[in-house]
Amino acid sequence: MGTESLETLHSNNGIAKNGNEGERNVEEVPADGCVWFEEQLEDDLKWSFTLERVLDRGTSPYQQIALLDTKRFGKVLLIDGKMQSAEKDEFIYHECLIHPALLCHPNPKTLFIMGGGEGSAAREALKHLSIEQVVMCDIDQDVVDFCKKHLTENHEAFSSEKLTLIINDAKAELENRKGKFDIIVGDLADPVEGGPCYQLYTKSFYEKIIKPKLNKNGIFVTQAGPAGIFTHKEVFSSIYNTIKQVFKYVIPYTAHVPSFADTWGWVMASDEPFCVDAKEIDRRIEKRIDGDLLYLNGASFLASATLNKMVLTTLLKETHVYTEEDARFIHGHGVAYRR
């Protein structure tokens, strides 16, 4: 894998206009002189923005990876044909993923991240003064290596003595570990058909692997896919309903992420009730966190957990439970499917 100029990209069809399902499209240079990155969100919907260059791309044993340099969003990480994060607004996704669970826990010390290869989730977790150990387990060494190389804002997190980085399947790692954790985080790729992650969204995984590995007062949180008016039925409502079968207290929440061109969803769960008082959350942010949060405060978290009528109604009526035999997928396919 290596950096490619736009000239090279066009001469060798780099990310080809007619490439396979896991790759993005780069349109031929139009009259305005701009090169456009194009993502097909649905069969009848595309999302595009101007591209500076392809920084790195390749196919690992598990998934396709690309790192783009864009004018609007800075560096953009793509996995299996899906936007994972963008330099300019990834703080929204990662603050929402990490801080609510840590702030709702009375005294979090240990945290396990499933996935998280880019290092941003670990970066946010390590801002908490009480944290003594962060274990980040990603299946893909290639993703970790080139995120270490290109995402300079996470270098400090990768070099922290509190971080233990493990290259392994998260399910196998949790099954074989003897210890438990205060927080377990699912910073996984979206469930796409043939991808490596969809089994980590199933009821059996939550029930048999996740829940037994949580300490008393433990909290599980996972990214749960698109949660917009038109997209929340893809996987968000199903993931929420599946987790609700396993844990007593479950909070779904959402936020708009500009580079995703959609509202995004997360689900937080525990067998102990949550503290969701805005003033108390603000007090804990002030007391517990070393550094600034750009997006999240007490009021914004409460707002994010107040779902609009359409999404809330769907969640309350959802009956589908995620299983290996009956999974839901978002648009796109993983490497195994293409083979």
Side-chain angles (χ1 to χ4, degrees):
M1 294 185 289
T3 302
E4 297 183 54
S5 67
L6 293 180
E7 289 79 7
T8 303
L9 185 67
H10 286 296
S11 66
N12 66 10
N13 250 359
I15 298 182
K17 191 169 183 179
N18 296 314
N20 63 40
E21 192 72 36
E23 295 182 327
R24 294 303 190 231
N25 295 331
V26 177
E27 295 285 359
E28 296 299 323
V29 181
D32 62 9
C34 294
V35 177
W36 288 82
F37 162 87
E38 183 180 275
E39 174 178 353
Q40 187 157 346
L41 301 177
E42 300 287 348
D43 290 335
D44 59 352
L45 181 64
K46 292 181 179 180
W47 163 237
S48 63
F49 42 85
T50 54
L51 174 69
E52 297 280 13
R53 58 180 174 152
V54 178
L55 294 171
D56 208 347
R57 68 186 183 94
T59 302
S60 78
Y62 302 100
Q63 50 207 349
Q64 287 192 333
I65 314 159
L67 192 67
L68 310 181
D69 184 16
T70 72
K71 292 181 178 180
R72 171 70 65 170
F73 297 115
K75 294 175 184 175
V76 167
L77 177 67
L78 311 170
I79 292 180
D80 270 349
K82 292 294 175 185
M83 171 90 73
Q84 298 301 301
S85 70
E87 182 180 15
K88 294 292 182 66
D89 67 2
E90 57 84 8
F91 65 90
I92 302 172
Y93 171 91
H94 290 104
E95 287 187 17
C96 288
L97 175 69
I98 294 297
H99 297 297
L102 283 160
L103 292 167
C104 286
H105 193 282
N107 186 28
K109 295 184 177 180
T110 57
L111 181 142
F112 186 96
I113 301 170
M114 301 185 293
E118 68 185 90
S120 299
R123 179 198 69 214
E124 293 301 317
L126 290 165
K127 291 179 179 179
H128 286 254
L129 298 172
S130 65
I131 286 293
E132 297 174 356
Q133 182 189 35
V134 174
V135 177
M136 186 177 87
C137 180
D138 198 287
I139 198 171
D140 202 327
Q141 182 75 62
D142 292 343
V143 169
V144 173
D145 286 345
F146 90 58
C147 287
K148 279 184 176 181
K149 176 182 177 182
H150 292 292
L151 304 183
T152 56
E153 61 272 22
N154 294 336
H155 283 175
E156 185 176 347
F158 277 117
S159 62
S160 172
E161 293 182 354
K162 294 182 179 181
L163 178 67
T164 301
L165 173 59
I166 296 171
I167 303 300
N168 195 8
D169 174 76
K171 180 180 179 182
E173 184 64 30
L174 282 170
E175 280 181 317
N176 294 325
R177 290 186 76 91
K178 294 181 180 180
K180 296 185 178 184
F181 296 88
D182 295 322
I183 310 287
I184 297 178
V185 177
D187 187 17
L188 302 164
D190 298 321
V192 295
E193 193 168 0
C197 293
Y198 80 93
Q199 295 181 21
L200 306 187
Y201 292 95
T202 61
K203 181 185 176 185
S204 62
F205 178 66
Y206 296 147
E207 196 168 47
K208 297 176 182 179
I209 307 297
I210 293 292
K211 192 169 182 177
K213 292 298 181 179
L214 286 170
N215 288 322
K216 180 178 171 55
N217 296 316
I219 297 174
F220 170 62
V221 61
T222 184
Q223 80 91 9
I229 291 293
F230 297 117
T231 56
H232 66 279
K233 294 181 181 180
E234 292 179 1
V235 294
F236 180 55
S237 59
S238 178
I239 292 171
Y240 163 75
N241 188 57
T242 302
I243 293 173
K244 197 172 66 170
Q245 311 304 309
V246 178
F247 291 93
K248 292 180 181 178
Y249 301 94
V250 181
I251 296 180
Y253 56 102
T254 67
H256 181 69
V257 182
S259 62
F260 290 176
D262 207 345
T263 299
W264 213 253
W266 299 265
V267 179
M268 181 170 66
S270 179
D271 279 343
E272 301 295 332
F274 293 107
C275 164
V276 289
D277 178 77
K279 290 184 179 179
E280 177 60 19
I281 289 174
D282 286 337
R283 188 190 70 80
R284 291 183 182 186
I285 289 173
E286 181 68 25
K287 182 179 179 181
R288 294 184 182 186
I289 292 180
D290 180 17
D292 295 327
L293 300 187
L294 299 176
Y295 181 81
L296 197 76
N297 58 18
S300 68
F301 175 63
L302 262 63
S304 72
T306 305
L307 305 180
N308 67 66
K309 182 179 178 180
M310 179 177 286
V311 173
L312 179 60
T313 299
T314 298
L315 265 60
L316 293 176
K317 292 183 176 180
E318 181 63 77
T319 60
H320 180 263
V321 175
Y322 224 100
T323 67
E324 281 135 355
E325 297 76 28
D326 186 14
R328 288 182 181 176
F329 304 104
I330 64 172
H331 189 272
H333 303 289
V335 170
Y337 182 89
R338 288 191 302 274
R339 289 175 179 168

